[in-house]
Amino acid sequence: MSLSLLKPEITKIIRTSKTVDSKLSKICEFLQENVKHYDWVGFYFKNGDKPELKLKAYAGKPTDHTIIPFGKGICGQVAVSNENFLVEDVSAQDNYIACSIDVKSEIVIPLFVNDENIGQIDIDSNTANAFSQEDESFLVWLNAEVAQLY
Ligand code: SME
């Protein structure tokens, strides 16, 4: 299934859900339910003035890692690097925070508002090497849509 086909549904969620929180939660739920290799989907945002990320919305198993210091794990590295991060095999990463032993690969895409990295979408897969350029460009598009809410 082409991820591009999900774009109209995402646009609809953004247009019709009432609050920013409900829009983000519904996007997470929609992606987790409709994309086979998306087992956990979440949005982290910079936590005020602190050098850390805070989990704002997610779908999938609850995680203990609701706060992630900048620089720690894949998410914390993206908060600092401002670069997309595709991890084929999480077990090969030194700087990685495990949320579940089932997770095999991960993608994190930063979310920019006026060129500032304010947060990110983080997706875990229980399949190894699950993410491709198609996921990357779809999620860049998605974050640009979400950025318009800020
Ligand atoms: N694996 C992430 C932590 C967040 S969980 O995937 C929900 C990381 O290394 O930053």
Side-chain angles (χ1 to χ4, degrees):
M1 192 236 336
S2 164
L3 291 171
S4 287
L5 296 174
L6 303 178
K7 288 182 180 178
E9 205 57 44
I10 298 284
T11 306
K12 191 171 155 196
I13 291 169
I14 290 175
R15 217 181 42 229
T16 57
S17 303
K18 290 217 169 80
T19 62
V20 172
D21 282 14
S22 69
K23 292 173 203 283
L24 294 176
S25 294
K26 288 211 172 112
I27 290 170
C28 291
E29 285 159 20
F30 175 75
L31 291 178
Q32 199 252 355
E33 280 165 17
N34 289 282
V35 186
K36 224 174 164 191
H37 60 291
Y38 290 8
D39 291 294
W40 189 94
V41 180
F43 285 98
Y44 285 92
F45 285 88
K46 186 165 188 243
N47 190 13
D49 289 337
K50 296 180 192 162
E52 64 185 27
L53 295 162
K54 187 176 180 189
L55 185 61
K56 186 155 181 170
Y58 73 94
K61 283 192 205 154
T63 174
D64 291 339
H65 304 289
T66 55
I67 298 282
I68 298 178
F70 281 11
K72 302 278 182 206
I74 308 304
C75 296
Q77 291 178 74
V78 169
V80 177
S81 72
N82 307 322
E83 305 275 358
N84 301 337
F85 201 158
L86 280 73
V87 182
E88 289 180 13
D89 172 7
V90 294
S91 72
Q93 293 288 320
D94 294 333
N95 189 356
Y96 171 70
I97 301 166
C99 281
S100 152
I101 50 158
D102 299 324
V103 175
K104 304 274 196 311
S105 58
E106 177 162 4
I107 185 169
V108 179
I109 306 290
L111 197 157
F112 297 100
V113 173
N114 299 327
D115 293 330
E116 188 191 346
N117 179 356
I118 65 155
Q120 52 190 242
I121 189 165
D122 172 23
I123 302 181
D124 288 340
S125 184
N126 298 346
T127 305
N129 199 4
F131 301 103
S132 67
Q133 271 240 281
E134 191 197 354
D135 297 279
E136 187 174 358
S137 48
F138 171 66
L139 297 169
V140 167
W141 171 85
L142 172 70
N143 277 359
E145 295 295 302
V146 170
Q148 292 175 36
L149 305 171
Y150 287 87

